[in-house]
Amino acid sequence: MDIHAKKANEALSEPYQDRARMLISCPDGPGIVAAVSHFLHQHGANIVQSDQYTMDPSGGMFFMRVEFDLVQLERKLPELKEQFTGVANRFSMEWQINSVSRKKKLAIFVSKEDHCLVELIWQWQAGDLDADIAMVVSNHPDMKEYVESFGIPYHLIPVTATTKQQAEKMQLEAVGNDIDVIILARYMQIISPTFIEHYRNRIINIHHSFLPAFVGGKPYAQAYQRGVKIIGATAHYVTEELDGGPIIEQDVQRVSHRDDVTELKRIGRTIERVVLARAVKWHIEDRILVHENKTVVFN
Amino acid sequence: MDIHAKKANEALSEPYQDRARMLISCPDGPGIVAAVSHFLHQHGANIVQSDQYTMDPSGGMFFMRVEFDLVQLERKLPELKEQFTGVANRFSMEWQINSVSRKKKLAIFVSKEDHCLVELIWQWQAGDLDADIAMVVSNHPDMKEYVESFGIPYHLIPVTATTKQQAEKMQLEAVGNDIDVIILARYMQIISPTFIEHYRNRIINIHHSFLPAFVGGKPYAQAYQRGVKIIGATAHYVTEELDGGPIIEQDVQRVSHRDDVTELKRIGRTIERVVLARAVKWHIEDRILVHENKTVVFN
Amino acid sequence: MDIHAKKANEALSEPYQDRARMLISCPDGPGIVAAVSHFLHQHGANIVQSDQYTMDPSGGMFFMRVEFDLVQLERKLPELKEQFTGVANRFSMEWQINSVSRKKKLAIFVSKEDHCLVELIWQWQAGDLDADIAMVVSNHPDMKEYVESFGIPYHLIPVTATTKQQAEKMQLEAVGNDIDVIILARYMQIISPTFIEHYRNRIINIHHSFLPAFVGGKPYAQAYQRGVKIIGATAHYVTEELDGGPIIEQDVQRVSHRDDVTELKRIGRTIERVVLARAVKWHIEDRILVHENKTVVFN
Amino acid sequence: MDIHAKKANEALSEPYQDRARMLISCPDGPGIVAAVSHFLHQHGANIVQSDQYTMDPSGGMFFMRVEFDLVQLERKLPELKEQFTGVANRFSMEWQINSVSRKKKLAIFVSKEDHCLVELIWQWQAGDLDADIAMVVSNHPDMKEYVESFGIPYHLIPVTATTKQQAEKMQLEAVGNDIDVIILARYMQIISPTFIEHYRNRIINIHHSFLPAFVGGKPYAQAYQRGVKIIGATAHYVTEELDGGPIIEQDVQRVSHRDDVTELKRIGRTIERVVLARAVKWHIEDRILVHENKTVVFN
């Protein structure tokens, strides 16, 4: 397995030592792009990529993502952020600036179905997922040996009806304050509002249907029952409403009357893997802005 | 417009004078395929295409579609049907045999949105829809001139809350007993259970969402509200349950946060056109079998 | 047919009286976005949408598309353009600024296959194609009646091996200097280099294959012969190399061994229609920049 | 890793002890379906699924796939095959009957790119690939540890310009006579005609382009150069013509001007994995018939 570790080490981010990404949401108004790009230019930054979207030209919201290069970024970033506060306040911005070379830390939650976890680990070791998989948390021991073979810590925290609250406390401790994003890679337990509140817009779930169709349990059985001709999967941020959070990505595949529930699950596993991996990649690359219950994805 | 009429005349079905299609549904059991193919062979028919599906090998339903050529089909068909009764009864079959050269008669219902109607007429005049468009029925006058320019009768039957029952009576009279299938090409009125009963599994509706998501009115507005990343359309047979009948075909297209409701509608129109046209084509070519609330589509 | 004319009249562009689109290509370098957005801000314009792409951060090309609103645009546009010359020269820009309310003029070239023409006219009368179809040019009389029923002039210019040069002269005269873009909607004659030179990057062709597979004639027969499982269509700008120009858009659909050449053509017609309509829409909305033999499409 | 081995053991094929699949190719003529289904019925077999395709009703080829259940299949199969010879000879059939419970043996050839191999092993251990991976053959040591961790033998056979012939001899010895199908899972060496002859229509290659576009080396670089808007992958049987053999399956994904060669490769890896896995599954399930340079895939 060590052969893979090598690849992950020669990280994607190496050549981007001096690159940063800026995300902005604010009420729309004249002069925002000018102010931001002028600010960056003044501070010696070169804009490499810029995306922007106005929900409604008059009175709506404004969203922006900028990738820029700045020589000696690491040294200059704290000051840059401090000085940007002036621009930000003027336009009532919510904003963040992230250094590309600082890898995000992931905690992956999994139950017994392993395909989404295996996909994320494969993409990570292939160098396609530019992040650190800091830990795997599971309520089952099944994947322990596999996960640890990659040198990734595995927290086995069983969950039963009576120990649920205690288990969640242990999960919070395991995750700690250092994790950027939690991935529910077919983790089959409900997450409590308290837990969600700790990681608002930072918990990504994969639901095995084309939402909002087939909310809740056994979506493939529901799909078979309804006789749909296309099935899908949906990656979304977790909110208090079951399968109701902001949708990040969806994809589908054609099926036919010949496909029974087992076959739908088999086909679905590949859709789930691909959709979750895309959503995680976009989150890691700071491509997603959440507004109310929807996402703006700059990709 | 007459230039198009020519094409429709040099019909697709000409070379298939002696071809027929047989559709069978029955409880599964041993020997069905053997009995059917033996029967056809004995009567001098040559099987050109045969599809078959067993829902569940033990105790399920069996579905079959056979295309065959039989010299002097038209003369022999009545006797062939009569003699097939023996085979059919042995296996408790529901069945039909249709001559390919006998074109099915369509009645298209439309309101103000014209794209699905225009598509069907275009495919028909291009020779891609091997049927007769016997009439268009509408509650609005908007498309009258256009439809009549193709020599197709246009029945204008306004519908209001108070005249609904009377209007439906007029529709039934207009359609008569000679129509094989009714197409609701974005016809925005609810069809009564009585009407549906007359045309069980012979009324095809296009719903402008990926069912079962966004049942009912304004599905594009609902889709926008939910922030889905893919929109779709669904063709289904009409039953008493709103947007709940057997699904024939679905298709989808990717959208993004940039697409507002107007743009979703625009993108959706092309999906609706394509999905409805496929469903109609399959119905016309005897490719669809309905069982309970699902379809078997041999395509 | 007049019912449709109405829709086209209540044009999409009405609410965008004061909106303009700016397209820029130039060598990359620091400060471009800042300079452009600063310029627009200074002149009272509000950026509504901005897209930008750098081919290669160091030493590559830079592409930008900006939509902006400017009160009393029509009055101010000439001066705005003049003053922008300063910014443009500083960065060696190729650029254009187009008023959204000034509709582009299209000339559609067609031979006998009518599906792409019908699609464009349908989208135009539905209000989905925000342009003027100024004329149709054809080497066959087949579509004359249909086209003229929409009040669109039809130039019948027959082409034979011996009259080719003369015919092209007549085409150039018919098109004149007022046409923004020429659409080859399954026009089956080769265009001469002289003609292409007049409309560099302004002639859009639809090729009925997934280029670069199946260049040249009879692509569906070639596709059938090769046994591909997916067929496609490609919209591209016409260059001197047959089917070799910059690709604007492609799309595909799955086929099977059951589909013979006739069926491939039938399936393909819908792909062609959709792909060509998208490409034309993007051109009309100033979404396409050409660099060497490739396109940057901001959509 | 042993956790996975369990799953592969509780094989998909267990409940299908008595199921067999029959594949037939022959010149078309009347009575074939009747003869085959009558034969099976007479011998006590129950047809569970039957697909059939006639290339051209008059004078073309006929293809058929039948799945049937026969009590005590294993005991009766030799006799059934012997007796079927009569039917087969009458219609000049090429045919095979395979017991579903007899798993096919796979040899996977791989070089340095591991994604296709990892996918096949994952699908196999998930129980989705109902076959035995009998060995992996590679010209590089990179995947040895990984492959052997699943208990799969790894034959390291380096290939250089001078040792090519010798290496191929070693490969043939390693593969032996017991292997049903060879998978070139991004194996980057040319296979000799002699080798191909040994495994006619039993070597499946994944080519990383949408064939016939971009034959040969570096297809993603070629795709980038040409500026295509969609990339793809193709699984095909290997013939003497490079990337020219019968196509089994293809799939595609949309890309944009933003995707450089590295990104195309990344996107392509997922297409390659999915396409190859589907092709292997269909081969294993006896769904593919080859005729001249094309495949008939009953799925």
Side-chain angles (χ1 to χ4, degrees):
Chain A
M1 209 60 40
D2 300 354
I3 41 153
H4 298 295
K6 268 184 305 181
K7 290 197 204 172
N9 285 344
E10 21 164 310
L12 277 176
S13 53
E14 301 298 359
Y16 300 121
Q17 283 279 54
D18 287 341
R19 183 158 299 176
R21 304 184 196 109
M22 178 187 250
L23 284 181
I24 295 169
S25 313
C26 65
D28 192 28
I32 305 175
V33 177
V36 171
S37 52
H38 185 67
F39 172 85
L40 288 172
H41 186 52
Q42 252 186 336
H43 287 76
N46 187 32
I47 295 178
V48 171
Q49 172 73 38
S50 160
D51 293 281
Q52 173 235 316
Y53 165 65
T54 307
M55 202 174 265
D56 184 336
S58 49
M61 285 292 291
F62 173 92
F63 306 91
M64 191 175 189
R65 177 184 187 272
V66 183
E67 278 193 49
F68 61 87
D69 285 339
L70 178 60
V71 177
Q72 297 200 306
L73 177 76
E74 202 166 340
R75 195 175 57 75
K76 294 180 191 165
L77 193 52
E79 200 191 315
L80 191 81
K81 284 181 177 180
E82 201 185 301
Q83 301 199 349
F84 188 69
T85 318
V87 180
N89 289 348
R90 180 144 48 102
F91 294 98
S92 307
M93 291 175 177
E94 281 185 56
W95 63 281
Q96 47 178 294
I97 304 177
N98 299 319
S99 165
V100 168
S101 66
R102 187 216 157 261
K103 292 192 184 194
K104 291 202 176 57
K105 286 183 173 31
L106 271 53
I108 303 177
F109 281 42
V110 70
S111 292
K112 288 193 156 188
E113 295 260 20
D114 65 356
H115 54 285
C116 287
L117 173 67
V118 168
E119 179 73 19
L120 291 174
I121 288 181
W122 176 75
Q123 294 215 1
W124 165 76
Q125 54 84 351
D128 286 347
L129 204 66
D130 190 24
D132 283 335
I133 301 182
M135 71 185 68
V136 170
V137 175
S138 181
N139 53 336
H140 293 284
D142 305 44
M143 302 301 295
K144 185 174 161 61
E145 188 181 348
Y146 174 75
V147 167
E148 291 182 347
S149 78
F150 290 94
I152 301 169
Y154 190 87
H155 297 273
L156 173 58
I157 304 176
V159 179
T160 65
T162 51
T163 65
K164 201 166 167 43
Q165 226 172 341
Q166 176 62 15
E168 200 164 283
K169 219 182 125 198
M170 289 169 70
Q171 288 171 347
L172 278 170
E173 278 171 23
V175 172
N177 294 312
D178 206 28
I179 292 298
D180 293 283
V181 56
I182 293 173
I183 320 292
L184 307 186
R186 294 298 303 273
Y187 180 69
M188 305 310 282
Q189 301 286 328
I190 305 278
I191 305 292
S192 81
T194 317
F195 197 110
I196 293 168
E197 196 47 50
H198 269 82
Y199 295 95
R200 178 66 59 192
N201 294 337
R202 292 193 295 143
I203 309 176
I204 298 175
N205 182 47
I206 180 73
H207 183 72
H208 37 316
S209 84
F210 185 83
L211 288 175
F214 312 130
V215 165
K218 301 195 181 301
Y220 291 122
Q222 291 184 56
Y224 178 76
Q225 195 61 30
R226 182 63 187 90
V228 293
K229 299 300 184 185
I230 288 175
I231 59 169
T234 305
H236 64 94
Y237 288 114
V238 175
T239 62
E240 286 75 5
E241 188 190 339
L242 181 64
D243 301 329
I247 293 172
I248 303 168
E249 171 66 338
Q250 306 188 285
D251 213 336
V252 295
Q253 192 172 323
R254 190 164 280 276
V255 296
S256 90
H257 60 267
R258 296 191 196 279
D259 300 309
D260 60 15
V261 177
T262 304
E263 187 65 12
L264 294 187
K265 283 181 184 170
R266 200 190 63 75
I267 294 169
R269 279 196 285 269
T270 288
I271 316 176
E272 294 165 34
R273 288 191 286 156
V274 168
V275 167
L276 178 60
R278 273 192 220 136
V280 171
K281 186 171 191 292
W282 294 341
H283 183 99
I284 284 170
E285 294 176 1
D286 300 309
R287 296 186 177 280
I288 313 174
L289 285 154
V290 179
H291 178 63
E292 293 172 354
N293 205 42
K294 294 165 75 167
T295 61
V296 170
V297 181
F298 290 120
N299 62 341
Chain B
M1 210 59 42
D2 302 350
I3 41 152
H4 298 297
K6 268 185 305 182
K7 290 198 204 170
N9 286 344
E10 20 163 310
L12 276 176
S13 52
E14 301 298 358
Y16 300 120
Q17 283 280 54
D18 287 341
R19 184 161 298 177
R21 304 183 194 110
M22 178 187 248
L23 284 181
I24 294 169
S25 312
C26 65
D28 193 27
I32 304 174
V33 178
V36 171
S37 53
H38 185 65
F39 172 85
L40 288 172
H41 185 52
Q42 251 185 335
H43 287 75
N46 187 33
I47 295 178
V48 171
Q49 172 73 38
S50 160
D51 291 282
Q52 174 235 315
Y53 165 65
T54 306
M55 202 173 264
D56 184 335
S58 48
M61 286 293 291
F62 173 92
F63 306 92
M64 190 174 189
R65 178 184 186 272
V66 183
E67 278 193 50
F68 62 85
D69 285 341
L70 178 61
V71 177
Q72 296 199 306
L73 177 76
E74 202 165 338
R75 195 175 58 74
K76 294 181 190 162
L77 193 53
E79 199 190 316
L80 191 81
K81 284 181 177 180
E82 200 186 301
Q83 301 199 349
F84 188 68
T85 318
V87 179
N89 289 346
R90 182 144 47 103
F91 295 99
S92 308
M93 291 176 176
E94 281 185 55
W95 63 281
Q96 47 179 293
I97 304 178
N98 300 319
S99 165
V100 168
S101 65
R102 188 213 157 267
K103 291 191 184 194
K104 289 201 178 56
K105 287 183 173 27
L106 272 52
I108 303 178
F109 281 43
V110 70
S111 291
K112 288 193 155 187
E113 295 260 19
D114 66 355
H115 53 287
C116 288
L117 174 66
V118 169
E119 179 74 19
L120 291 175
I121 288 181
W122 175 75
Q123 293 215 2
W124 166 76
Q125 53 84 351
D128 286 347
L129 204 66
D130 189 23
D132 284 334
I133 301 184
M135 71 186 67
V136 170
V137 176
S138 180
N139 52 336
H140 293 284
D142 305 43
M143 302 301 293
K144 185 174 161 62
E145 188 182 349
Y146 175 74
V147 167
E148 290 181 346
S149 77
F150 290 94
I152 302 169
Y154 190 88
H155 297 273
L156 172 58
I157 304 176
V159 180
T160 65
T162 52
T163 65
K164 200 165 168 45
Q165 227 171 339
Q166 176 62 17
E168 200 164 284
K169 218 183 126 197
M170 288 170 72
Q171 288 172 347
L172 278 170
E173 277 170 24
V175 172
N177 294 311
D178 206 29
I179 293 297
D180 294 283
V181 56
I182 293 173
I183 319 293
L184 307 185
R186 294 298 303 272
Y187 180 68
M188 306 310 280
Q189 301 287 328
I190 304 279
I191 304 293
S192 80
T194 316
F195 196 110
I196 293 168
E197 195 49 47
H198 269 81
Y199 295 95
R200 177 68 57 194
N201 293 338
R202 291 192 296 143
I203 308 175
I204 297 175
N205 182 46
I206 180 74
H207 183 71
H208 37 315
S209 84
F210 185 82
L211 288 176
F214 312 130
V215 165
K218 300 196 181 300
Y220 292 123
Q222 291 184 56
Y224 178 75
Q225 197 59 30
R226 183 62 187 88
V228 292
K229 299 300 184 185
I230 288 175
I231 59 168
T234 305
H236 63 94
Y237 288 115
V238 173
T239 62
E240 287 74 6
E241 188 190 339
L242 181 64
D243 302 328
I247 293 171
I248 302 168
E249 171 64 340
Q250 306 188 284
D251 214 336
V252 296
Q253 193 173 323
R254 189 164 282 276
V255 296
S256 90
H257 59 267
R258 296 193 196 275
D259 300 310
D260 60 15
V261 177
T262 303
E263 187 65 11
L264 295 187
K265 283 181 184 171
R266 202 190 61 75
I267 294 169
R269 278 196 286 269
T270 288
I271 316 176
E272 294 165 35
R273 287 191 287 157
V274 168
V275 167
L276 178 60
R278 269 191 223 139
V280 171
K281 186 172 191 291
W282 294 341
H283 184 99
I284 284 171
E285 294 175 0
D286 301 309
R287 297 186 176 281
I288 313 175
L289 285 153
V290 178
H291 179 64
E292 292 173 355
N293 205 41
K294 295 164 75 168
T295 62
V296 170
V297 181
F298 290 121
N299 62 342
Chain C
M1 210 61 40
D2 301 353
I3 41 151
H4 298 297
K6 269 185 304 182
K7 290 197 203 169
N9 285 344
E10 20 163 312
L12 277 177
S13 52
E14 300 299 359
Y16 301 119
Q17 282 280 56
D18 287 342
R19 183 158 300 176
R21 304 184 194 109
M22 178 187 249
L23 284 181
I24 295 169
S25 313
C26 65
D28 193 28
I32 304 174
V33 178
V36 172
S37 52
H38 185 66
F39 172 86
L40 287 172
H41 186 52
Q42 252 186 335
H43 288 75
N46 187 32
I47 295 178
V48 170
Q49 172 73 37
S50 161
D51 292 281
Q52 174 234 317
Y53 165 65
T54 307
M55 201 173 265
D56 183 337
S58 49
M61 286 293 291
F62 173 92
F63 307 92
M64 190 174 190
R65 177 185 186 271
V66 183
E67 278 194 50
F68 61 87
D69 285 339
L70 178 60
V71 177
Q72 296 199 305
L73 177 77
E74 202 165 339
R75 195 176 57 77
K76 295 181 190 162
L77 193 53
E79 199 190 316
L80 192 81
K81 284 181 178 181
E82 201 186 302
Q83 300 199 350
F84 188 69
T85 319
V87 179
N89 289 347
R90 180 145 47 100
F91 295 98
S92 307
M93 292 176 176
E94 282 185 56
W95 64 280
Q96 47 178 294
I97 305 178
N98 299 320
S99 165
V100 168
S101 65
R102 187 214 158 264
K103 292 191 184 196
K104 290 201 177 57
K105 287 183 173 27
L106 271 53
I108 303 177
F109 281 43
V110 70
S111 292
K112 289 194 154 186
E113 296 260 20
D114 65 355
H115 54 285
C116 288
L117 173 66
V118 170
E119 178 74 19
L120 291 174
I121 288 181
W122 176 75
Q123 294 214 0
W124 164 76
Q125 53 85 350
D128 286 347
L129 205 67
D130 190 24
D132 284 335
I133 301 184
M135 71 185 68
V136 169
V137 175
S138 181
N139 52 336
H140 294 284
D142 305 44
M143 301 301 296
K144 185 174 163 60
E145 189 182 349
Y146 174 75
V147 167
E148 290 181 346
S149 78
F150 291 94
I152 302 169
Y154 191 88
H155 297 273
L156 173 58
I157 304 176
V159 179
T160 65
T162 51
T163 65
K164 202 167 167 43
Q165 227 171 340
Q166 175 63 12
E168 200 165 283
K169 219 182 126 199
M170 289 169 70
Q171 288 171 347
L172 278 170
E173 277 170 25
V175 173
N177 294 311
D178 205 28
I179 292 296
D180 294 283
V181 57
I182 293 173
I183 319 292
L184 307 185
R186 295 297 304 274
Y187 180 70
M188 306 310 281
Q189 300 287 329
I190 305 277
I191 305 292
S192 80
T194 317
F195 196 111
I196 294 168
E197 195 50 48
H198 270 82
Y199 295 95
R200 178 67 58 193
N201 294 336
R202 292 193 294 143
I203 309 176
I204 298 175
N205 182 47
I206 180 73
H207 183 71
H208 37 315
S209 84
F210 184 84
L211 289 175
F214 312 131
V215 165
K218 300 195 181 301
Y220 291 122
Q222 290 184 57
Y224 178 76
Q225 196 60 31
R226 182 62 187 88
V228 293
K229 299 300 184 185
I230 288 175
I231 59 168
T234 305
H236 63 94
Y237 288 114
V238 174
T239 62
E240 286 75 6
E241 187 190 339
L242 180 64
D243 303 327
I247 293 172
I248 303 169
E249 172 64 340
Q250 306 187 285
D251 213 336
V252 295
Q253 192 173 323
R254 189 164 282 276
V255 296
S256 90
H257 59 268
R258 296 192 196 277
D259 300 310
D260 59 16
V261 177
T262 303
E263 187 65 12
L264 295 187
K265 283 181 184 169
R266 200 190 63 75
I267 294 169
R269 277 196 287 267
T270 289
I271 316 175
E272 294 165 34
R273 288 191 287 156
V274 169
V275 167
L276 178 61
R278 271 191 221 138
V280 171
K281 187 172 190 290
W282 295 341
H283 184 99
I284 285 171
E285 295 176 359
D286 300 309
R287 296 186 176 282
I288 314 174
L289 286 154
V290 178
H291 178 64
E292 292 172 354
N293 205 42
K294 294 165 75 166
T295 62
V296 170
V297 181
F298 289 121
N299 63 344
Chain D
M1 211 59 43
D2 302 351
I3 40 153
H4 298 297
K6 268 184 306 181
K7 291 197 204 170
N9 285 344
E10 21 163 310
L12 275 177
S13 53
E14 301 298 0
Y16 301 120
Q17 282 280 56
D18 287 342
R19 184 159 298 176
R21 301 182 197 112
M22 179 187 249
L23 284 181
I24 295 169
S25 313
C26 65
D28 192 27
I32 304 175
V33 177
V36 171
S37 52
H38 184 66
F39 172 86
L40 287 172
H41 185 52
Q42 251 186 336
H43 287 76
N46 187 33
I47 296 178
V48 171
Q49 172 74 37
S50 160
D51 292 281
Q52 173 234 317
Y53 165 65
T54 306
M55 202 172 264
D56 183 337
S58 48
M61 285 293 291
F62 172 92
F63 307 92
M64 190 174 190
R65 179 186 187 270
V66 184
E67 278 193 50
F68 61 87
D69 284 340
L70 178 61
V71 177
Q72 295 200 305
L73 177 77
E74 202 165 339
R75 196 176 56 77
K76 295 180 190 164
L77 193 53
E79 201 191 313
L80 191 82
K81 284 181 178 180
E82 201 186 303
Q83 301 198 349
F84 187 69
T85 319
V87 179
N89 288 347
R90 181 144 47 103
F91 295 99
S92 307
M93 291 175 176
E94 281 185 55
W95 62 281
Q96 47 178 294
I97 304 177
N98 299 319
S99 165
V100 168
S101 65
R102 187 214 158 263
K103 292 189 182 195
K104 290 202 177 55
K105 287 183 173 29
L106 272 54
I108 303 176
F109 280 44
V110 69
S111 291
K112 289 193 155 186
E113 295 261 19
D114 65 355
H115 53 287
C116 288
L117 173 67
V118 169
E119 178 74 19
L120 291 174
I121 288 180
W122 176 75
Q123 294 214 0
W124 165 75
Q125 54 83 353
D128 286 347
L129 205 67
D130 190 23
D132 285 334
I133 302 183
M135 71 185 69
V136 169
V137 175
S138 181
N139 52 335
H140 293 285
D142 304 44
M143 301 302 295
K144 185 174 162 60
E145 189 182 347
Y146 174 74
V147 167
E148 291 182 346
S149 78
F150 290 93
I152 302 168
Y154 191 88
H155 298 273
L156 173 58
I157 305 176
V159 179
T160 65
T162 51
T163 66
K164 201 166 168 44
Q165 226 171 342
Q166 175 63 14
E168 200 164 282
K169 218 182 126 198
M170 288 170 70
Q171 288 171 347
L172 278 170
E173 278 170 25
V175 172
N177 294 311
D178 206 29
I179 292 298
D180 293 283
V181 55
I182 294 173
I183 320 292
L184 307 186
R186 296 297 305 273
Y187 180 69
M188 306 310 281
Q189 300 287 329
I190 305 277
I191 305 292
S192 81
T194 317
F195 196 110
I196 293 169
E197 195 49 49
H198 269 82
Y199 295 95
R200 178 66 59 191
N201 294 336
R202 292 194 294 143
I203 309 176
I204 297 174
N205 183 47
I206 180 73
H207 184 72
H208 37 316
S209 85
F210 184 83
L211 288 175
F214 312 130
V215 165
K218 300 195 182 301
Y220 291 122
Q222 290 184 57
Y224 178 76
Q225 195 61 30
R226 183 63 187 88
V228 293
K229 299 300 183 185
I230 288 175
I231 59 167
T234 305
H236 64 94
Y237 288 114
V238 174
T239 61
E240 286 75 6
E241 187 189 340
L242 181 65
D243 301 328
I247 292 172
I248 302 168
E249 171 65 340
Q250 306 188 286
D251 214 337
V252 295
Q253 192 173 322
R254 190 163 279 278
V255 296
S256 89
H257 59 266
R258 297 193 196 277
D259 300 310
D260 60 14
V261 177
T262 304
E263 187 65 11
L264 294 187
K265 283 181 184 169
R266 201 191 61 74
I267 293 169
R269 278 196 286 268
T270 288
I271 317 176
E272 294 166 34
R273 287 191 287 155
V274 168
V275 167
L276 179 61
R278 270 192 222 138
V280 171
K281 186 171 191 291
W282 295 340
H283 184 99
I284 284 170
E285 295 176 0
D286 299 310
R287 296 186 177 280
I288 313 174
L289 285 154
V290 178
H291 178 64
E292 292 172 354
N293 206 41
K294 294 166 75 167
T295 61
V296 170
V297 180
F298 290 121
N299 63 341

